[in-house]
Amino acid sequence: MPLEAGLLEILACPACHAPLREEGDELHCTGDAECGLVYPVRDGIPVLLVDEAHRPS
């Protein structure tokens, strides 16, 4: 389920404050390679907790 465009525009990575881009059921940090965290979206709700994020494979 895609996020609303307005919501995606205001969301930012909690670790580095870079914008996020949606890919499937995840939000990917668009910041530099040092961050690059991937956050899950569960039941249409972004889980923007660094402890829940992972590095891309």
Side-chain angles (χ1 to χ4, degrees):
M1 167 183 256
L3 295 176
E4 293 181 28
L7 177 61
L8 194 55
E9 288 178 15
I10 62 172
L11 292 179
C13 174
C16 72
H17 309 290
L20 298 168
R21 76 177 185 287
E22 188 173 18
E23 288 187 23
D25 288 336
E26 298 179 323
L27 295 175
H28 292 249
C29 175
T30 60
D32 57 21
E34 289 183 27
C35 184
L37 292 172
V38 178
Y39 298 91
V41 177
R42 295 186 186 126
D43 297 322
I45 301 169
V47 181
L48 298 178
L49 300 171
V50 175
D51 290 343
E52 294 283 327
H54 64 87
R55 301 274 176 199
S57 332

